[in-house]
Amino acid sequence: MAIHSILFVCLGNICRSPLAEGIARKLVKEAGLSLYIDSAGTSGWHIDEPPCEHSIMVGKRHGIDISHLKGRKVSVYGDLDFDLIIAMDKQNYHDLLQLGFPKEKLALMGDFGLKGKEIPDPYYFKDLDGFEKVYSMLESAIYELISVVVKKY
Ligand code: 4NP
């Protein structure tokens, strides 16, 4: 099945997955592809909030504006049509299964060139270094993800 849409999922949808969404949109555009990209959280703790300040800052440093994005909660009713749903860590993956998403649509971000490593939850990081690390993990994994998607379909 061809991949036309990808959803990135973390816990709050304010730190990791909005950054993943911004990076993916940029790389997809640069690759000349048309893929629908979105992000969501397994919790509803930050609905309608903008991404966290540090993710906005790190994105900006790399030429990506995510300040307009708004937090939302993933839903098996609204999000089942995504072709691929990428979890940032194993807890997110487990929660998506519990919510009823089929295993065939799920993957871990770390499975794309990061040897299965989880994208660490940066919510309690004190400085930007942790967010820079998250950014570089996401960038390399999403680059790999897009090349896999392109090669496969
Ligand atoms: P995210 O980070 O899952 O990357 O958006 C978090 C954001 C908020 C919380 C935890 C993680 N929180 O506990 O509110």
Side-chain angles (χ1 to χ4, degrees):
M1 189 192 74
I3 303 275
H4 297 294
S5 57
I6 303 175
L7 179 67
F8 295 96
V9 176
C10 60
L11 175 60
N13 192 213
I14 52 167
C15 299
R16 292 165 292 178
S17 62
L19 202 48
E21 177 181 343
I23 294 168
R25 288 204 171 147
K26 182 180 182 216
L27 294 183
V28 160
K29 197 172 170 195
E30 284 171 3
L33 300 170
S34 74
L35 278 174
Y36 182 74
I37 307 288
D38 199 5
S39 68
T42 55
S43 77
W45 300 335
H46 299 282
I47 291 172
D48 281 339
E49 289 179 26
C52 66
E53 216 180 299
H54 284 51
S55 284
I56 292 177
M57 245 144 88
V58 166
K60 210 169 266 173
R61 272 188 187 173
H62 295 272
I64 296 172
D65 181 14
I66 59 166
S67 61
H68 59 286
L69 299 180
K70 292 270 182 285
R72 73 174 184 89
K73 188 180 190 302
V74 74
S75 152
V76 81
Y77 303 105
D79 295 318
L80 206 52
D81 284 345
F82 279 93
D83 297 322
L84 201 50
I85 300 169
I86 314 270
M88 296 296 128
D89 62 34
K90 290 177 184 155
Q91 184 65 52
N92 306 149
Y93 184 96
H94 179 75
D95 290 342
L96 287 164
L97 278 178
Q98 289 288 105
L99 286 168
F101 287 95
K103 207 172 177 186
E104 305 77 61
K105 289 197 177 197
L106 300 182
L108 257 181
M109 189 82 272
D111 288 340
F112 297 92
L114 299 178
K115 298 183 179 142
K117 268 195 218 132
E118 297 180 280
I119 308 298
D121 181 343
Y123 191 57
Y124 298 105
F125 289 175
K126 296 270 182 294
D127 51 37
L128 274 176
D129 290 355
F131 283 82
E132 278 293 349
K133 173 92 181 8
V134 164
Y135 181 92
S136 65
M137 289 178 85
L138 288 175
E139 188 183 46
S140 79
I142 292 166
Y143 193 82
E144 172 74 15
L145 162 69
I146 289 170
S147 55
V148 168
V149 166
V150 170
K151 258 182 238 147
K152 219 168 163 186
Y153 303 100

